[in-house]
Amino acid sequence: MTSGGRKRRNIEKVALQIVNESGDEGILQSDLWKLIGVTSREGSRIAIRLEKKKLIRREREYHSKRWTYRLHPIKKNHPLLPVIDSPCIICANNSKCSVEDVVSPLNCRKLIEWVLKTG
Ligand code: SF4
């Protein structure tokens, strides 16, 4: 697998982890993209890929005067740690972390270790 492919798999895994943790309420996709630091375009692609793999369910929702999607987990019994344990929540670099920046979730050792530990 190319390093780009590996990075994409890692970010998909993080996104899936967070959706799985969202429980019955699910999570608005825009909130998820903010958490993992991807653009809405990239995020939509991730959501579509996860839905095609039948790992999540997307539901249309009218929110803040526009149509968007809420993402729901499909596997509800997966033994995962709460998302509150994510290193991003307390990370000092959170506000400047994005896939397009030098500080990126795609090469963050802390995040990858957390995902591997919980997945
Ligand atoms: S640097 Fe790592 S831990 Fe910090 S916000 Fe980015 S992905 Fe999360």
Side-chain angles (χ1 to χ4, degrees), residues 26-44:
I27 182 167
L28 275 180
Q29 61 175 21
S30 52
D31 291 342
L32 176 56
W33 313 149
K34 271 182 233 154
L35 262 179
I36 63 176
V38 298
T39 63
S40 58
R41 204 167 123 207
E42 167 74 2
S44 296

Side-chain angles (χ1 to χ4, degrees), residues 53-89:
K53 292 178 192 170
K54 302 200 187 315
L55 295 170
I56 64 165
R57 179 169 58 82
R58 290 189 313 152
E59 209 172 81
R60 273 192 101 198
E61 179 172 315
Y62 197 67
H63 182 85
S64 298
K65 299 185 183 170
R66 56 189 285 267
W67 284 100
T68 180
Y69 284 95
R70 185 172 287 275
L71 310 178
H72 294 275
I74 287 184
K75 285 184 188 172
K76 294 208 167 183
N77 297 325
H78 205 281
L80 301 167
L81 290 178
V83 73
I84 198 76
D85 284 345
S86 156
C88 305
I89 303 285

Side-chain angles (χ1 to χ4, degrees), residues 3-47:
S3 72
R6 251 193 311 275
K7 280 180 183 174
R8 207 180 64 209
R9 291 283 300 270
N10 280 337
I11 202 81
E12 273 184 33
K13 204 168 170 186
V14 173
L16 176 60
Q17 174 87 24
I18 294 170
V19 175
N20 276 335
E21 277 306 316
S22 67
D24 290 341
E25 197 185 328
I27 182 167
L28 275 180
Q29 61 175 21
S30 52
D31 291 342
L32 176 56
W33 313 149
K34 271 182 233 154
L35 262 179
I36 63 176
V38 298
T39 63
S40 58
R41 204 167 123 207
E42 167 74 2
S44 296
R45 285 199 204 118
I46 292 170

Side-chain angles (χ1 to χ4, degrees), residues 3-4 6-12 14 36-38 42 46 97-109 111-112:
S3 72
R6 251 193 311 275
K7 280 180 183 174
R8 207 180 64 209
R9 291 283 300 270
N10 280 337
I11 202 81
E12 273 184 33
V14 173
I36 63 176
V38 298
E42 167 74 2
I46 292 170
C97 179
S98 129
V99 281
E100 279 144 21
D101 283 317
V102 180
V103 182
S104 164
L106 301 180
N107 54 26
C108 175
R109 180 168 281 282
L111 184 65
I112 291 168

